[in-house]
Amino acid sequence: MSLLSERQIPADFGDQLRNAGYVTAKFLADIVHATGRRLPSANPNAKAARVERLILAQAWTDAALALIDLELPQWHVRRLAYDDGEWHCALSRQRELPDWLDQSIETRHADLALAILSAFVEAQRISATSIRTSVPSAPWRADTLYEPICSDNFA
């Protein structure tokens, strides 16, 4: 897959999520449009239809959790906690590991749905970068003067 065809998550999405006071349908649609790979497909499945129904019903927390289930099936909610006026959300790939061994994503926000969406965007960003190889690929174009040669000495 070409890097140009991949959906790139804007760097300022994290700031927008931290500064937002509440979730709106347009804001959630912008997040889905920027990060979603499965939801805006032409062939919707039951999970995608559920996310769309929850967005229409303005059930933001359930929509955020369903979006994680649809887009990032390998990630699971490890912890949701309310402490000192903020919701803390932790997503993990390995829920069964102890906290000190797990590499989870932890976010916080005053609004529960925005805390979950912040963790979703961070997990999507990490998942998108882990798919790429460590060595960038260059386009291979055969030049008319290109002729492969063997430079090994087999003698």
Side-chain angles (χ1 to χ4, degrees), residues 64-99:
L65 291 170
L67 191 60
I68 291 172
D69 186 37
L70 174 68
E71 293 290 335
L72 301 169
Q74 70 275 18
W75 289 86
H76 305 283
V77 175
R78 182 177 183 85
R79 182 177 61 249
L80 283 175
Y82 185 76
D83 184 33
D84 202 24
E86 287 186 326
W87 285 97
H88 298 265
C89 177
L91 291 182
S92 173
R93 289 184 186 173
Q94 308 273 327
R95 262 192 323 205
E96 291 75 24
L97 288 177
D99 285 343

Side-chain angles (χ1 to χ4, degrees), residues 2 10 13-14 38 50 73 83 100 106 116 120 132:
S2 168
F13 249 151
R38 294 184 178 106
R50 180 173 181 257
D83 184 33
W100 57 277
E106 298 187 21
I116 296 169
F120 166 73
R132 295 187 207 143

Side-chain angles (χ1 to χ4, degrees), residues 107-122:
T107 59
R108 57 190 170 96
H109 198 279
D111 184 54
L112 175 60
L114 286 172
I116 296 169
L117 287 171
S118 296
F120 166 73
V121 168
E122 287 300 314

Side-chain angles (χ1 to χ4, degrees), residues 19-31:
N19 295 333
Y22 53 91
V23 181
T24 63
K26 182 182 179 340
F27 188 58
L28 191 54
D30 290 343
I31 292 171

Side-chain angles (χ1 to χ4, degrees), residues 43-63:
N43 211 358
N45 59 13
K47 288 184 178 183
R50 180 173 181 257
V51 171
E52 290 175 2
R53 280 194 316 270
L54 290 170
I55 291 172
L56 290 175
Q58 296 182 355
W60 308 129
T61 303
D62 292 335

